[in-house]
Amino acid sequence: MTEAAAWTDAPHGALVVAETQSAGRGRHGRVWQDAPGMCLMLSVVLRPQLAPERFGLVSLAAGLALAETAESFGAPAFVKWPNDVLATGPDGRLAKLAGVLAEASW
């Protein structure tokens, strides 16, 4: 996300992809670590035409889109409030598929 934030002239929809991350952030300032080579790490630069009080809807919409995409591949998925996407595996256990962290600046 730090790299995407530095792309001040990037167009809407620009994508930053990384094999691993060194400064992951979770909710409430928690550190988030990935397993190198085991995760798809990406940030998307969005420039939505929304009033600032509606920006919170962007992360919810992203989580829903991810869950719907997982379902299209046969993984029963859902959004766990407010920012995780979970799916039920073949063994019936829940697995975290994605976490959505949105940051805004203007």
Side-chain angles (χ1 to χ4, degrees):
M1 198 173 291
T2 303
E3 184 69 25
W7 289 13
T8 56
D9 294 330
H12 176 79
L15 184 67
V16 178
V17 180
E19 290 182 15
T20 190
Q21 65 178 11
S22 59
R25 296 186 302 272
R27 293 183 64 228
H28 306 295
R30 294 184 186 114
V31 174
W32 193 89
Q33 300 273 326
D34 71 317
M38 299 297 294
C39 300
L40 175 61
M41 311 300 297
L42 60 94
S43 294
V44 181
V45 176
L46 298 177
R47 303 193 186 286
Q49 300 298 309
L50 295 173
E53 63 270 13
R54 299 186 65 117
F55 282 174
L57 298 174
V58 172
S59 63
L60 294 174
L64 182 59
L66 289 166
E68 288 179 352
T69 300
E71 291 221 343
S72 75
F73 285 95
F78 62 96
V79 177
K80 177 181 171 245
W81 180 264
N83 66 336
D84 289 337
V85 179
L86 305 178
T88 305
D91 60 0
R93 295 185 346 180
L94 288 178
K96 182 174 177 177
L97 293 182
V100 178
L101 176 63
E103 290 186 353
S105 64
W106 52 89

